[in-house]
Amino acid sequence: VAIDIAVYPNPTREKLNVVIKDAAIKHLLIATVNGSIVKEIKQTAENITIDVSDLSAGVYFITGQTTDGVAFRKKVIIYWD
């Protein structure tokens, strides 16, 4: 099942928005490329804003699941000037 998901702005350094059309997010994880979980969000919503200002610069993966049980994964880049 395909879902319409947007993660923006990407790259980012402060806030990250995760938006799913016609579904609700049930659970989100942000992990490093090595698989270490750095944030876990348990919130049911179509739109979630995540504060990523405490993360080090680098590449991360957001994985999550909708309330319908559909899993998704997106790459995110965190940067610092």
Side-chain angles (χ1 to χ4, degrees):
V1 176
I3 58 172
D4 186 6
I5 181 168
V7 177
Y8 65 92
N10 190 10
T12 188
R13 63 180 174 177
E14 292 179 8
K15 301 284 184 190
L16 186 66
N17 300 294
V18 181
V19 179
I20 292 186
K21 186 176 179 181
D22 300 327
I25 301 164
K26 178 181 177 182
H27 186 246
L28 284 177
L29 295 175
I30 300 180
T32 66
V33 292
N34 296 326
S36 298
I37 296 170
V38 293
K39 284 194 183 274
E40 182 173 12
I41 298 96
K42 292 183 179 180
Q43 175 183 341
T44 302
E46 291 180 3
N47 306 310
I48 295 178
T49 300
I50 305 164
D51 180 2
V52 294
S53 63
D54 58 332
L55 299 180
S56 300
V59 176
Y60 295 84
F61 289 98
I62 291 184
T63 57
Q65 187 175 36
T66 67
T67 53
D68 297 332
V70 178
F72 58 89
R73 179 176 168 163
K74 292 284 188 176
K75 181 172 73 171
V76 176
I77 298 171
I78 307 295
Y79 72 95
W80 292 102
D81 294 336

XYZ file of all heavy atoms in Angstrom:
627
model
N 0.854 -1.183 0.000
C 0.000 0.000 0.000
C 0.892 1.236 0.000
O 1.759 1.384 0.855
C -0.922 0.016 1.246
C -1.724 1.289 1.297
C -1.805 -1.192 1.270
N 0.684 2.101 -0.959
C 1.461 3.333 -1.050
C 0.777 4.433 -0.244
O -0.452 4.526 -0.224
C 1.596 3.757 -2.497
N 1.585 5.235 0.408
C 1.045 6.371 1.145
C 1.730 7.632 0.667
O 2.867 7.593 0.204
C 1.203 6.209 2.675
C 2.671 6.021 3.058
C 0.367 5.072 3.185
C 2.904 6.037 4.548
N 1.036 8.735 0.787
C 1.567 10.034 0.392
C 2.112 10.711 1.640
O 1.344 11.184 2.479
C 0.449 10.854 -0.251
C 0.945 12.169 -0.829
O 2.168 12.402 -0.839
O 0.103 12.962 -1.273
N 3.451 10.719 1.755
C 4.094 11.285 2.947
C 5.073 12.378 2.534
O 5.786 12.233 1.546
C 4.804 10.203 3.780
C 5.437 10.805 5.031
C 5.813 9.450 2.973
C 5.908 9.796 6.032
N 5.078 13.455 3.287
C 6.016 14.551 3.050
C 6.806 14.791 4.324
O 6.245 14.819 5.416
C 5.268 15.811 2.651
N 8.123 14.948 4.163
C 9.015 15.277 5.275
C 9.779 16.530 4.851
O 10.527 16.500 3.877
C 9.982 14.105 5.576
C 10.945 14.485 6.682
C 9.211 12.845 5.933
N 9.556 17.636 5.562
C 10.173 18.894 5.158
C 10.377 19.805 6.358
O 9.720 19.600 7.380
C 9.281 19.578 4.107
C 7.934 19.988 4.648
C 7.735 21.256 5.175
C 6.847 19.101 4.665
C 6.507 21.639 5.698
C 5.615 19.474 5.179
C 5.457 20.741 5.692
O 4.240 21.115 6.211
N 11.247 20.795 6.281
C 12.241 20.962 5.225
C 13.326 19.903 5.358
O 13.601 19.418 6.461
C 12.813 22.361 5.485
C 12.600 22.598 6.954
C 11.348 21.835 7.314
N 13.888 19.543 4.269
C 14.933 18.516 4.256
C 15.951 18.894 3.199
O 15.632 18.850 2.016
C 14.327 17.158 3.948
C 15.280 16.019 4.151
O 16.356 16.182 4.684
N 14.889 14.849 3.700
N 17.140 19.337 3.616
C 17.729 19.285 4.955
C 17.152 20.349 5.892
O 16.548 21.311 5.460
C 19.212 19.523 4.704
C 19.293 20.247 3.410
C 18.095 19.822 2.616
N 17.380 20.108 7.176
C 16.891 21.022 8.208
C 17.894 21.101 9.348
O 18.843 20.318 9.400
C 15.515 20.578 8.742
O 15.010 21.594 9.601
C 15.599 19.262 9.492
N 17.642 22.029 10.268
C 18.489 22.110 11.454
C 17.703 22.386 12.724
O 18.250 22.356 13.813
C 19.582 23.151 11.293
C 19.070 24.543 11.122
C 20.205 25.499 10.961
N 19.669 26.815 10.650
C 20.397 27.874 10.510
N 21.692 27.789 10.657
N 19.845 29.013 10.223
N 16.405 22.695 12.601
C 15.618 23.019 13.795
C 14.355 22.189 13.920
O 14.188 21.439 14.855
C 15.271 24.507 13.791
C 16.473 25.390 13.984
C 16.116 26.860 13.947
O 14.914 27.192 13.915
O 17.039 27.679 13.943
N 13.432 22.367 13.000
C 12.134 21.677 13.046
C 11.967 20.824 11.801
O 12.393 21.208 10.714
C 10.979 22.685 13.099
C 11.023 23.616 14.286
C 10.581 22.937 15.540
C 10.545 23.951 16.688
N 10.363 23.346 17.961
N 11.320 19.692 11.978
C 11.046 18.786 10.875
C 9.560 18.452 10.901
O 9.028 18.067 11.942
C 11.882 17.510 11.036
C 11.822 16.521 9.899
C 12.455 17.112 8.644
C 12.565 15.254 10.284
N 8.896 18.638 9.782
C 7.469 18.347 9.673
C 7.275 17.032 8.945
O 7.879 16.802 7.896
C 6.754 19.459 8.900
C 6.889 20.795 9.582
O 6.368 20.980 10.672
N 7.607 21.705 8.972
N 6.419 16.187 9.488
C 6.060 14.926 8.856
C 4.550 14.977 8.638
O 3.786 15.132 9.590
C 6.441 13.713 9.732
C 6.083 12.415 9.034
C 7.929 13.750 10.079
N 4.150 14.868 7.372
C 2.741 15.000 7.009
C 2.337 13.811 6.151
O 3.027 13.481 5.185
C 2.493 16.309 6.218
C 1.034 16.438 5.828
C 2.951 17.512 7.020
N 1.230 13.188 6.504
C 0.690 12.072 5.724
C -0.705 12.463 5.252
O -1.519 12.949 6.038
C 0.627 10.777 6.549
C 2.032 10.293 6.836
C -0.162 9.710 5.818
C 2.097 8.957 7.510
N -0.949 12.243 3.969
C -2.261 12.544 3.404
C -3.165 11.316 3.524
O -2.743 10.202 3.213
C -2.102 12.942 1.940
C -3.369 13.418 1.304
C -3.129 13.885 -0.099
C -4.434 14.342 -0.721
N -4.245 14.790 -2.089
N -4.379 11.530 3.975
C -5.404 10.479 4.070
C -5.034 9.346 5.026
O -5.451 8.201 4.830
C -5.733 9.894 2.692
C -6.271 10.952 1.736
O -6.956 11.881 2.219
O -6.011 10.861 0.532
N -4.245 9.640 6.037
C -3.887 8.644 7.053
C -3.422 9.394 8.297
O -3.241 10.599 8.265
C -2.794 7.706 6.551
N -3.196 8.657 9.361
C -2.669 9.254 10.591
C -1.429 8.485 11.023
O -1.374 7.261 10.912
C -3.712 9.226 11.695
N -0.442 9.225 11.483
C 0.794 8.627 11.977
C 0.522 8.105 13.383
O -0.061 8.793 14.211
C 1.919 9.679 12.008
C 2.155 10.253 10.612
C 3.193 9.081 12.587
C 2.951 11.543 10.600
N 0.982 6.904 13.646
C 0.806 6.307 14.972
C 2.095 6.343 15.780
O 2.083 6.525 16.984
C 0.340 4.860 14.797
C 0.159 4.092 16.076
C -0.270 2.667 15.766
C -0.394 1.865 17.042
N -0.770 0.477 16.742
N 3.221 6.178 15.086
C 4.501 5.993 15.774
C 5.626 6.414 14.839
O 5.608 6.083 13.661
C 4.627 4.509 16.132
C 5.811 4.179 16.947
N 6.829 3.400 16.472
C 6.150 4.508 18.211
C 7.737 3.258 17.412
N 7.345 3.928 18.470
N 6.600 7.169 15.355
C 7.765 7.589 14.578
C 9.043 7.315 15.363
O 9.078 7.507 16.577
C 7.728 9.094 14.307
C 6.792 9.654 13.262
C 6.903 11.170 13.251
C 7.115 9.110 11.897
N 10.077 6.914 14.636
C 11.420 6.778 15.199
C 12.378 7.558 14.324
O 12.257 7.539 13.101
C 11.877 5.319 15.210
C 11.137 4.333 16.092
C 11.673 2.931 15.847
C 11.283 4.703 17.547
N 13.336 8.226 14.942
C 14.447 8.825 14.202
C 15.692 8.078 14.630
O 15.978 7.971 15.827
C 14.595 10.330 14.477
C 13.321 11.073 14.060
C 15.808 10.886 13.729
C 13.367 12.559 14.302
N 16.409 7.556 13.643
C 17.595 6.743 13.929
C 18.771 7.217 13.091
O 18.601 7.760 11.993
C 17.303 5.276 13.639
N 19.968 6.978 13.607
C 21.186 7.258 12.856
C 21.330 6.210 11.756
O 20.619 5.211 11.733
C 22.423 7.198 13.774
O 22.577 5.847 14.228
C 22.295 8.143 14.957
N 22.289 6.424 10.858
C 22.520 5.441 9.793
C 23.003 4.117 10.366
O 22.893 3.079 9.719
C 23.506 5.968 8.732
C 22.897 7.112 7.948
C 24.826 6.370 9.339
N 23.520 4.124 11.586
C 23.959 2.897 12.248
C 22.817 2.179 12.970
O 23.019 1.121 13.551
C 25.072 3.195 13.254
C 26.312 3.727 12.582
O 26.629 3.346 11.469
N 27.009 4.627 13.248
N 21.629 2.801 12.976
C 20.475 2.165 13.594
C 20.183 2.571 15.025
O 19.221 2.095 15.616
N 20.995 3.450 15.587
C 20.754 3.915 16.958
C 19.562 4.868 16.980
O 19.543 5.862 16.245
C 21.972 4.645 17.509
O 23.073 3.784 17.571
N 18.572 4.584 17.805
C 17.383 5.419 17.901
C 17.703 6.646 18.742
O 18.166 6.525 19.874
C 16.208 4.631 18.499
C 15.831 3.482 17.573
C 15.011 5.559 18.751
C 14.855 2.504 18.163
N 17.452 7.833 18.162
C 17.742 9.084 18.873
C 16.476 9.810 19.312
O 16.523 10.661 20.197
C 18.637 10.017 18.029
C 20.022 9.408 17.850
C 18.010 10.322 16.683
N 15.349 9.496 18.692
C 14.060 10.080 19.101
C 12.960 9.074 18.816
O 12.993 8.364 17.826
C 13.747 11.361 18.324
C 14.537 12.558 18.777
C 13.937 13.838 18.219
C 14.763 15.022 18.620
N 14.422 15.558 19.914
N 11.973 9.072 19.695
C 10.799 8.242 19.510
C 9.568 9.098 19.805
O 9.508 9.755 20.843
C 10.832 7.032 20.436
C 9.666 6.109 20.259
C 9.804 4.816 21.059
O 10.703 4.726 21.925
O 9.000 3.918 20.816
N 8.638 9.116 18.868
C 7.441 9.924 19.011
C 6.229 9.010 18.920
O 6.044 8.324 17.908
C 7.358 11.025 17.925
C 8.538 11.987 18.057
C 6.051 11.797 18.024
C 9.675 11.698 17.177
N 5.427 8.991 19.968
C 4.181 8.225 19.975
C 3.055 9.235 20.061
O 2.731 9.722 21.137
C 4.145 7.247 21.143
C 5.142 6.135 21.016
C 5.029 5.159 22.156
C 6.033 4.036 21.991
N 5.949 3.065 23.069
N 2.513 9.556 18.912
C 1.473 10.575 18.819
C 0.640 10.254 17.594
O 1.182 10.000 16.530
C 2.131 11.943 18.676
C 1.176 13.079 18.452
C 1.921 14.396 18.248
O 3.077 14.527 18.605
N 1.250 15.363 17.657
N -0.656 10.225 17.722
C -1.528 9.951 16.579
C -1.979 11.270 15.975
O -2.679 12.048 16.625
C -2.739 9.105 16.997
O -2.258 7.890 17.580
C -3.616 8.784 15.814
N -1.530 11.530 14.737
C -1.873 12.767 14.041
C -1.509 12.643 12.568
O -0.689 11.812 12.193
C -1.128 13.941 14.655
N -2.109 13.492 11.741
C -1.748 13.538 10.328
C -0.499 14.385 10.122
O 0.218 14.198 9.155
C -2.895 14.095 9.493
C -4.082 13.162 9.409
C -5.207 13.732 8.565
O -5.054 14.827 8.000
O -6.243 13.064 8.489
N -0.268 15.336 11.023
C 0.885 16.237 10.926
C 1.630 16.229 12.256
O 1.026 16.446 13.292
C 0.429 17.669 10.641
C -0.460 17.768 9.436
O -0.133 17.254 8.389
N -1.595 18.410 9.593
N 2.930 16.001 12.185
C 3.754 16.026 13.393
C 4.965 16.910 13.124
O 5.623 16.779 12.086
C 4.202 14.609 13.802
C 2.979 13.774 14.197
C 5.209 14.662 14.950
C 3.299 12.340 14.571
N 5.249 17.807 14.050
C 6.447 18.645 13.975
C 7.414 18.166 15.055
O 7.037 18.050 16.219
C 6.102 20.126 14.172
O 5.186 20.525 13.148
C 7.350 20.993 14.095
N 8.653 17.910 14.641
C 9.662 17.361 15.544
C 10.795 18.372 15.699
O 11.313 18.885 14.702
C 10.237 16.042 14.985
C 9.101 15.055 14.693
C 11.250 15.437 15.942
C 9.529 13.916 13.790
N 11.185 18.640 16.931
C 12.338 19.491 17.200
C 13.591 18.631 17.044
O 13.799 17.683 17.795
C 12.253 20.061 18.613
C 13.416 20.966 18.957
O 14.294 21.199 18.086
O 13.457 21.439 20.094
N 14.424 18.961 16.047
C 15.655 18.199 15.809
C 16.897 19.041 16.106
O 18.008 18.650 15.764
C 15.706 17.637 14.363
C 14.619 16.608 14.152
C 15.604 18.757 13.335
N 16.698 20.186 16.769
C 17.823 21.089 17.038
C 18.851 20.484 17.990
O 19.984 20.952 18.050
C 17.307 22.423 17.594
O 16.659 22.222 18.837
N 18.468 19.441 18.707
C 19.406 18.800 19.632
C 20.194 17.664 18.988
O 21.048 17.060 19.639
C 18.662 18.277 20.862
C 17.573 17.281 20.503
O 17.022 17.360 19.382
O 17.256 16.428 21.346
N 19.945 17.383 17.706
C 20.661 16.307 17.025
C 21.930 16.829 16.370
O 21.979 17.976 15.909
C 19.775 15.658 15.961
C 18.489 15.003 16.456
C 17.724 14.402 15.284
C 18.797 13.935 17.497
N 22.936 15.987 16.307
C 24.171 16.343 15.623
C 23.941 16.358 14.121
O 23.038 15.689 13.617
C 25.263 15.309 15.935
O 25.522 15.265 17.315
N 24.763 17.108 13.413
C 24.674 17.134 11.954
C 24.922 15.735 11.413
O 25.762 14.997 11.929
C 25.684 18.121 11.382
N 24.174 15.359 10.386
C 24.364 14.049 9.779
C 23.115 13.561 9.085
O 22.135 14.278 8.939
N 23.170 12.302 8.664
C 22.051 11.658 7.976
C 21.305 10.782 8.974
O 21.920 10.041 9.740
C 22.559 10.814 6.784
C 21.401 10.074 6.122
C 23.283 11.692 5.778
N 19.991 10.873 8.942
C 19.126 10.096 9.827
C 18.012 9.462 8.999
O 17.736 9.906 7.879
C 18.491 11.001 10.892
C 19.487 11.602 11.845
C 20.176 12.764 11.522
C 19.757 11.000 13.071
C 21.105 13.314 12.397
C 20.677 11.550 13.953
C 21.345 12.701 13.602
O 22.262 13.241 14.469
N 17.384 8.464 9.565
C 16.222 7.852 8.933
C 15.026 7.976 9.855
O 15.127 7.698 11.048
C 16.474 6.377 8.617
C 17.441 6.182 7.489
C 18.773 5.907 7.744
C 17.027 6.291 6.169
C 19.678 5.744 6.713
C 17.923 6.125 5.128
C 19.249 5.853 5.400
N 13.903 8.414 9.279
C 12.638 8.425 10.007
C 11.884 7.187 9.561
O 11.685 6.973 8.363
C 11.810 9.670 9.682
C 12.471 10.905 10.255
C 10.400 9.526 10.219
C 11.675 12.161 10.057
N 11.502 6.366 10.503
C 10.649 5.224 10.206
C 9.388 5.377 11.036
O 9.413 5.953 12.120
C 11.326 3.884 10.527
O 11.715 3.870 11.897
C 12.547 3.657 9.655
N 8.311 4.894 10.496
C 7.064 5.047 11.215
C 6.002 4.103 10.720
O 6.215 3.309 9.807
N 4.863 4.248 11.355
C 3.727 3.408 11.009
C 2.459 4.242 11.133
O 2.330 5.063 12.050
C 3.659 2.207 11.942
C 2.622 1.185 11.554
C 2.705 -0.032 12.449
O 2.981 0.068 13.640
N 2.478 -1.187 11.871
N 1.527 4.012 10.203
C 0.248 4.703 10.266
C -0.704 3.910 11.154
O -0.436 2.758 11.511
C -0.383 4.852 8.875
O -0.745 3.556 8.391
C 0.566 5.527 7.900
N -1.823 4.517 11.478
C -2.829 3.819 12.275
C -3.429 2.644 11.510
O -4.009 1.749 12.106
C -3.953 4.784 12.701
O -4.464 5.437 11.539
C -3.453 5.811 13.694
N -3.250 2.632 10.182
C -3.712 1.514 9.350
C -2.680 0.393 9.264
O -2.903 -0.599 8.577
C -4.036 1.994 7.936
C -5.172 3.000 7.902
O -6.038 2.939 8.802
O -5.198 3.836 6.994
N -1.505 0.586 9.900
C -0.477 -0.440 9.899
C 0.510 -0.367 8.753
O 1.339 -1.255 8.577
N 0.457 0.697 7.963
C 1.376 0.862 6.839
C 2.683 1.465 7.347
O 2.682 2.498 8.016
C 0.757 1.758 5.745
C 1.735 1.968 4.599
C -0.546 1.157 5.244
N 3.797 0.816 7.027
C 5.116 1.293 7.461
C 5.722 2.201 6.395
O 5.458 2.039 5.201
C 6.035 0.115 7.729
N 6.551 3.151 6.849
C 7.251 4.031 5.910
C 8.630 4.370 6.454
O 8.909 4.204 7.643
C 6.443 5.310 5.645
C 6.144 6.114 6.873
C 7.017 7.087 7.322
C 4.976 5.896 7.596
C 6.735 7.830 8.452
C 4.673 6.635 8.727
C 5.552 7.605 9.154
N 9.505 4.843 5.538
C 10.868 5.219 5.904
C 11.322 6.349 4.991
O 11.125 6.296 3.783
C 11.793 4.019 5.740
C 13.231 4.316 6.085
C 14.051 3.059 5.983
N 15.456 3.368 6.044
C 16.393 2.501 6.294
N 16.085 1.249 6.483
N 17.642 2.864 6.351
N 11.930 7.376 5.572
C 12.435 8.525 4.824
C 13.808 8.921 5.357
O 14.067 8.837 6.550
C 11.501 9.735 4.973
C 10.158 9.583 4.310
C 10.275 9.745 2.819
C 8.911 9.782 2.167
N 8.978 10.026 0.758
N 14.659 9.386 4.461
C 15.983 9.879 4.847
C 15.899 11.376 5.126
O 15.234 12.106 4.401
C 16.986 9.616 3.726
C 18.395 10.088 4.058
C 19.405 9.639 3.033
C 19.262 10.398 1.759
N 20.354 10.147 0.812
N 16.567 11.816 6.193
C 16.584 13.222 6.591
C 18.026 13.643 6.824
O 18.818 12.883 7.382
C 15.782 13.427 7.900
C 15.871 14.858 8.358
C 14.342 13.001 7.716
N 18.340 14.865 6.415
C 19.678 15.407 6.653
C 19.560 16.573 7.627
O 18.792 17.503 7.424
C 20.316 15.872 5.336
C 20.469 14.675 4.392
C 21.667 16.550 5.604
C 20.880 15.034 2.991
N 20.341 16.481 8.715
C 20.427 17.551 9.717
C 21.754 18.274 9.480
O 22.785 17.614 9.338
C 20.403 16.991 11.157
C 19.204 16.070 11.373
C 20.440 18.126 12.175
C 17.861 16.716 11.279
N 21.731 19.586 9.420
C 22.968 20.332 9.176
C 23.112 21.466 10.180
O 22.150 21.901 10.783
C 23.011 20.886 7.742
C 22.062 22.045 7.518
C 22.522 23.348 7.636
C 20.730 21.848 7.195
C 21.667 24.431 7.439
C 19.876 22.912 7.010
C 20.355 24.201 7.119
O 19.509 25.255 6.935
N 24.314 21.921 10.320
C 24.631 23.102 11.133
C 25.537 24.006 10.329
O 26.392 23.534 9.600
C 25.326 22.702 12.445
C 24.390 21.978 13.341
C 24.328 20.640 13.543
C 23.343 22.545 14.107
N 23.309 20.337 14.400
C 22.686 21.491 14.768
C 22.882 23.831 14.312
C 21.607 21.688 15.603
C 21.820 24.036 15.147
C 21.191 22.972 15.784
N 25.334 25.316 10.428
C 26.164 26.273 9.695
C 27.564 26.309 10.259
O 27.805 26.097 11.397
C 25.559 27.684 9.766
C 24.225 27.726 9.029
O 24.002 26.898 8.149
O 23.404 28.601 9.371
